[in-house]
């Protein structure tokens, strides 16, 4: 986005005002389009994060029901689920801190 500059001279007629307003509308439309794209991208990333968390829960539940899985693997699965849960709270549910002091 280009920075707004102070006008070098004051417009003297209606045509110059119209030209300035059209220019500002063009800048506004560009910013608005970028914001819409960012919103859609954020929603898509949130869906991906929720799906990853759901899959980690399924894997964690399956691993807890299967015998003879190495403890290191179980620990990694639990760590992944915990990490994704924290990220889901932060980036989807906007929960920054769950400490109640």
């Amino acid at each position: 986005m280009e920075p707004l500059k102070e006008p070098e001279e004051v417009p003297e007629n209606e045509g110059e005002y119209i030209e300035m307003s059209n220019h500002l509308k063009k800048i506004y439309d560009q910013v608005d389009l970028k914001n819409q794209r960012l919103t859609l991208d954020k929603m898509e990333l949130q869906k991906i994060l929720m799906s990853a968390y759901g899959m980690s829960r399924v894997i964690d539940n399956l691993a807890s029901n299967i015998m003879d899985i190495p403890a290191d693997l179980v620990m990694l699965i639990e760590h992944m689920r915990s990490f994704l849960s924290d990220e889901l709270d932060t980036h989807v549910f906007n929960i920054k801190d769950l400490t109640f002091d």
Side-chain angles (χ1 to χ4, degrees):
M1 180 172 92
E2 61 186 62
L4 295 177
K5 299 175 186 171
E6 290 292 324
E8 295 173 5
E9 54 186 61
V10 178
E12 296 180 10
N13 61 37
E14 187 177 321
E16 289 177 358
Y17 278 115
I18 291 172
E19 186 179 323
M20 279 179 37
S21 66
N22 288 340
H23 178 69
L24 288 176
K25 181 171 180 353
K26 180 182 173 186
I27 291 172
Y28 173 82
D29 289 343
Q30 290 172 345
V31 170
D32 189 46
L33 181 62
K34 286 180 186 178
N35 283 337
Q36 289 175 6
R37 287 181 184 159
L38 288 173
T39 300
L40 291 175
D41 288 347
K42 180 181 176 185
M43 288 172 56
E44 188 63 31
L45 290 172
Q46 287 174 333
K47 286 191 241 176
I48 291 168
L49 185 58
M50 287 187 282
S51 296
Y53 176 69
M55 289 303 299
S56 72
R57 286 189 58 155
V58 169
I59 292 169
D60 190 23
N61 287 333
L62 288 174
S64 67
N65 293 330
I66 298 174
M67 300 300 218
D68 300 329
I69 292 181
D72 292 344
L73 181 59
V74 172
M75 183 183 71
L76 286 173
I77 292 169
E78 290 171 353
H79 181 71
M80 175 185 64
R81 180 178 174 182
S82 174
F83 173 76
L84 288 173
S85 177
D86 291 344
E87 294 303 309
L88 197 66
D89 287 344
T90 301
H91 298 291
V92 175
F93 301 120
N94 295 320
I95 300 171
K96 302 297 181 195
D97 190 9
L98 290 177
T99 57
F100 302 103
D101 296 326

